[in-house]
Amino acid sequence: MKKGNTIFFKNKPRITSFAAICGSKEKEGIIGEYADITLEDDMYEESTFEKAECKMLTNAISLAIEKGSLKEKDIDVLVSGDLLNQIISASFAARDYNFPFLGVYSACSTMSESIMLSAMMVDAGYVKRAVAATGSHFASAERQYRFPLEQGTTRPPQSQWTVTGAGSCVIQSATEGIKISSATMGRVCDFGVTDVNNMGAAMAPAAADTIMQHFKDTGRDPDEYDMVLTGDLGVLGSRIVKDLCWEKGYDISDIHVDCGEIVYKVIENEFQGGSGAGCSAVVLNSYVLSKMRAGLYKRVLFAATGALLSTISSGQGESIPCISHVVELEI
Amino acid sequence: MKKGNTIFFKNKPRITSFAAICGSKEKEGIIGEYADITLEDDMYEESTFEKAECKMLTNAISLAIEKGSLKEKDIDVLVSGDLLNQIISASFAARDYNFPFLGVYSACSTMSESIMLSAMMVDAGYVKRAVAATGSHFASAERQYRFPLEQGTTRPPQSQWTVTGAGSCVIQSATEGIKISSATMGRVCDFGVTDVNNMGAAMAPAAADTIMQHFKDTGRDPDEYDMVLTGDLGVLGSRIVKDLCWEKGYDISDIHVDCGEIVYKVIENEFQGGSGAGCSAVVLNSYVLSKMRAGLYKRVLFAATGALLSTISSGQGESIPCISHVVELEI
């Protein structure tokens, strides 16, 4: 059933197992004790950053399957994407498995788009079990989007730090696990921000748009949620999303948490906090889902946020179109 | 219902309207008289190739909506992607509309993945109307994947020519239109081809894998289809896919048509033929669907094919993982 842009799942597909891998810098923070694998060396015994990123994603997928006491043959489809050009991490990860692969791209909101599509397919009975996954790597993202690390370019104060990590979860019809009750599909919002270092400001309107659309479609108030979890708005973007929602009569200030804001221990060193597809993927698939399973949060609105730019589009003077897909999680 | 990797649609969602735009070179070929808009100048009155590509995609989307006597408000979701890094053509096209956007990436099999996901959402009743769309541009693809055109690099004989064009269709539950009966999700296949100029050879095993999976899952023989339409295997790839299927007991030689093989008038000039996400998008959404609507083809198996490489992956010595998603179309 659909109302507005929100799809309500009748058969409440569930996240039955999840896994996360994070890098050496990330393990110092809140997710360190919740992630399944934490790297000592972000090269992960590979010869390139891109291969390390792909290995993290592959291992997160395999781990999520394994932790659910499942085998490769039990999985019907993988829904995945990542930040690299032509989503090579996801495509090369999918090569290792015998199940079908649906490639998606939604920048840093890939985790919520993957979960949403997986939940749709499970809920409709098209597949029995789907895996949703994504990840990112600081070093591969820096050289693709910004500068080679070797150049030692200084970072502006409004910048964020791409999370090295990958997260994955298995979604199926089950009696136990974290329910996916509904999903609100995001629209592309562009408020004209052209500063590619200020992603938080660019993405905040898209997050606010889908979050408020969700409240409108469900007829609920923010206080009926334990947490509104945005993806990687960072410090500034988080202030903006709270302001934008407050202006329209939705006060999320007490329940809003941003994965980018909480992922690093000493946020001052990373300026605005973490970012990247791996940011929300790792925080959700370690800390947040663990706390939900333990009963600490009963209803979480997961709103990963993505900036849909490329170096070509900004080089040609375009502003940054952004999107946020929202998934409602319950126990 | 699902059998193997094939999803059977109970409510048979239908393609009710479609539109295609093609470039100046493409209009000389078979699709010239079927496309809705044919360009005189591939810059399409824009300042860059990328902006021209985006404009083609936007106009194909708008045209498909308009040709179905629909308005923007009647559309529930756009499923789209393209070949450019971070699928900027699709993201920037989506910015112009008020409906939600689901970004996908499946290289040149984006058209069939978009149709498949749209059909799933319509069939399950999650959305009423979805638009599936994709496109490509020769000049933007050349400079991203190969060399700047200004360099005048010679083309090897096994190469293909990226189609300048975009195609789009509206999918909804209806009593008229072209039925989408089933869809077979593709797996990533990699037979170790590393020659980035020989995409046909790389993609043929993936096409054969999903096509044969479809026959297996449906229990049908090739002669129950009027056409098996692959995306952009080109001359060599088409021979390989026919051989691979024949070896396993499926003779598709009489009914196989490749969009890349038929898109250009004088195929010798383009060596292996056309390629790119726009190739199958334009041929399907002009020539093939028009012929189906006229009753000339009753059952078509549409198997767009994608090579999931990037310049980074091949630069790092990786082979080319490929995929093909298959959609069964009927009248």
Side-chain angles (χ1 to χ4, degrees):
Chain A
M1 205 197 78
K2 177 173 167 283
K3 199 182 159 195
N5 295 335
T6 303
I7 292 161
F8 295 89
F9 298 118
K10 252 192 305 191
N11 307 314
K12 300 234 163 76
R14 285 167 190 259
I15 296 173
T16 51
S17 57
F18 50 88
I21 297 179
C22 73
S24 53
K25 185 186 182 78
E26 288 70 21
K27 80 167 173 195
E28 304 297 324
I30 193 168
I31 54 171
E33 52 180 307
Y34 294 93
D36 298 278
I37 295 175
T38 56
L39 305 183
E40 291 297 323
D41 174 6
D42 290 1
M43 288 300 288
Y44 209 178
E45 291 152 19
E46 291 288 335
S47 55
T48 69
F49 303 136
E50 290 75 15
K51 288 183 182 177
E53 180 177 327
C54 181
K55 188 176 176 183
M56 283 195 301
L57 188 57
T58 309
N59 286 349
I61 294 166
S62 289
L63 257 176
I65 298 171
E66 205 183 299
K67 284 174 77 182
S69 306
L70 298 165
K71 301 257 180 249
E72 190 182 328
K73 64 168 177 48
D74 299 319
I75 305 300
D76 292 320
V77 67
L78 167 67
V79 185
S80 185
D82 59 274
L83 297 182
L84 295 184
N85 298 343
Q86 289 75 53
I87 61 164
I88 48 169
S89 296
S91 301
F92 281 81
R95 185 173 66 169
D96 288 351
Y97 302 99
N98 201 34
F99 41 75
F101 166 60
L102 296 177
V104 294
Y105 181 79
S106 195
C108 308
S109 68
T110 300
M111 196 67 229
S112 55
E113 183 177 332
S114 310
I115 293 178
M116 181 167 71
L117 284 172
S118 300
M120 283 184 191
M121 285 191 277
V122 169
D123 183 61
Y126 295 141
V127 301
K128 214 168 163 189
R129 287 184 202 91
V131 173
T134 189
S136 56
H137 194 296
F138 170 72
S140 66
E142 282 300 302
R143 77 169 167 194
Q144 179 180 284
Y145 286 106
R146 284 165 285 263
F147 301 99
L149 291 182
E150 293 81 354
Q151 202 170 308
T153 314
T154 52
R155 303 167 63 77
Q158 70 273 36
S159 71
Q160 291 171 256
W161 189 279
T162 304
V163 164
T164 299
S168 169
C169 56
V170 176
I171 293 154
Q172 60 180 317
S173 282
T175 50
E176 298 217 343
I178 293 138
K179 268 188 282 186
I180 304 165
S181 312
S182 70
T184 308
M185 298 182 288
R187 291 180 293 197
V188 177
C189 296
D190 189 337
F191 273 36
V193 174
T194 52
D195 179 359
V196 294
N197 285 303
N198 197 355
M199 297 287 191
M203 292 190 292
D209 184 68
T210 319
I211 291 168
M212 290 191 289
Q213 183 72 43
H214 178 85
F215 290 143
K216 218 175 112 185
D217 294 344
T218 55
R220 293 204 202 104
D221 287 324
D223 59 16
E224 295 178 58
Y225 295 79
D226 294 313
M227 189 193 275
V228 171
L229 183 72
T230 52
D232 52 350
L233 296 177
V235 182
L236 175 62
S238 292
R239 285 182 56 178
I240 299 174
V241 76
K242 280 182 272 199
D243 273 4
L244 288 173
C245 289
W246 180 81
E247 272 177 10
K248 301 273 182 184
Y250 295 100
D251 185 0
I252 61 166
S253 55
D254 288 342
I255 50 164
H256 175 261
V257 174
D258 183 64
C259 297
E261 253 191 316
I262 62 167
V263 71
Y264 291 115
K265 207 173 177 183
V266 188
I267 203 164
E268 288 76 11
N269 289 350
E270 288 73 34
F271 301 120
Q272 299 296 324
S275 71
C279 181
S280 61
V282 169
V283 174
L284 180 79
N285 288 297
S286 63
Y287 179 77
V288 176
L289 291 183
S290 296
K291 293 278 181 195
M292 285 195 83
R293 202 163 51 184
L296 269 85
Y297 307 125
K298 299 223 181 325
R299 184 184 280 157
V300 171
L301 200 61
F302 175 54
T305 43
L308 304 169
L309 80 168
S310 82
T311 52
I312 292 277
S313 71
S314 24
Q316 293 183 359
E318 284 283 4
S319 53
I320 307 170
C322 294
I323 200 160
S324 173
H325 298 293
V326 163
V327 173
E328 182 196 350
L329 304 172
E330 278 184 306
I331 54 152
Chain B
M1 205 198 74
K2 176 173 167 283
K3 200 182 159 197
N5 296 335
T6 303
I7 292 162
F8 296 89
F9 299 118
K10 251 192 308 192
N11 306 316
K12 300 235 163 76
R14 286 168 190 257
I15 296 174
T16 51
S17 57
F18 50 87
I21 297 179
C22 75
S24 53
K25 185 185 181 77
E26 288 70 21
K27 79 169 173 192
E28 305 297 323
I30 193 169
I31 54 171
E33 51 180 306
Y34 294 92
D36 298 280
I37 296 175
T38 56
L39 304 183
E40 290 298 322
D41 174 6
D42 290 0
M43 288 301 288
Y44 209 177
E45 291 153 19
E46 290 288 335
S47 55
T48 68
F49 303 135
E50 290 76 15
K51 289 184 182 178
E53 180 177 326
C54 181
K55 188 176 177 182
M56 283 195 301
L57 188 56
T58 309
N59 286 348
I61 294 166
S62 289
L63 257 176
I65 297 171
E66 205 182 299
K67 284 173 76 181
S69 307
L70 298 165
K71 302 252 180 254
E72 190 181 329
K73 65 169 176 46
D74 300 318
I75 305 301
D76 292 320
V77 67
L78 167 68
V79 185
S80 184
D82 59 275
L83 298 181
L84 294 185
N85 297 344
Q86 288 76 52
I87 60 164
I88 47 168
S89 296
S91 301
F92 280 82
R95 185 173 66 169
D96 288 351
Y97 302 100
N98 200 35
F99 41 74
F101 167 59
L102 296 177
V104 294
Y105 182 79
S106 194
C108 309
S109 68
T110 299
M111 195 69 228
S112 54
E113 183 178 330
S114 309
I115 293 178
M116 181 167 69
L117 283 172
S118 299
M120 283 183 191
M121 286 190 277
V122 168
D123 184 60
Y126 296 142
V127 302
K128 215 168 162 188
R129 287 184 201 92
V131 173
T134 189
S136 57
H137 194 295
F138 170 71
S140 66
E142 281 300 302
R143 77 169 168 197
Q144 179 180 284
Y145 286 105
R146 285 166 282 266
F147 301 99
L149 292 182
E150 293 80 355
Q151 200 171 309
T153 313
T154 52
R155 303 166 64 77
Q158 71 274 36
S159 71
Q160 292 172 257
W161 189 279
T162 305
V163 165
T164 299
S168 170
C169 56
V170 175
I171 293 155
Q172 59 180 318
S173 281
T175 49
E176 297 215 344
I178 292 138
K179 268 188 279 187
I180 304 165
S181 311
S182 70
T184 308
M185 298 182 289
R187 291 180 293 199
V188 176
C189 295
D190 189 337
F191 273 36
V193 174
T194 52
D195 179 359
V196 294
N197 285 303
N198 198 353
M199 297 287 192
M203 293 190 291
D209 184 68
T210 319
I211 291 168
M212 289 191 290
Q213 183 72 43
H214 178 86
F215 291 143
K216 220 175 109 186
D217 294 344
T218 55
R220 293 204 202 104
D221 288 325
D223 59 18
E224 294 178 58
Y225 296 78
D226 294 312
M227 189 193 276
V228 170
L229 184 71
T230 50
D232 52 351
L233 297 176
V235 181
L236 175 62
S238 292
R239 284 183 56 178
I240 299 174
V241 77
K242 281 182 271 199
D243 274 3
L244 289 173
C245 289
W246 180 82
E247 271 176 12
K248 302 274 182 184
Y250 296 101
D251 185 0
I252 60 166
S253 55
D254 289 341
I255 49 163
H256 174 260
V257 174
D258 182 65
C259 297
E261 252 191 318
I262 63 167
V263 71
Y264 292 115
K265 206 173 178 181
V266 187
I267 202 163
E268 288 77 10
N269 289 351
E270 288 74 33
F271 301 121
Q272 299 296 326
S275 71
C279 181
S280 60
V282 169
V283 174
L284 180 79
N285 288 297
S286 62
Y287 179 77
V288 177
L289 291 184
S290 296
K291 292 278 181 193
M292 285 194 82
R293 202 163 50 183
L296 269 87
Y297 306 125
K298 298 221 180 328
R299 184 183 280 158
V300 170
L301 199 61
F302 175 53
T305 43
L308 304 169
L309 80 168
S310 82
T311 52
I312 292 277
S313 72
S314 26
Q316 293 184 0
E318 284 283 5
S319 53
I320 306 171
C322 295
I323 199 160
S324 174
H325 298 295
V326 164
V327 174
E328 183 196 349
L329 304 171
E330 276 184 308
I331 54 152

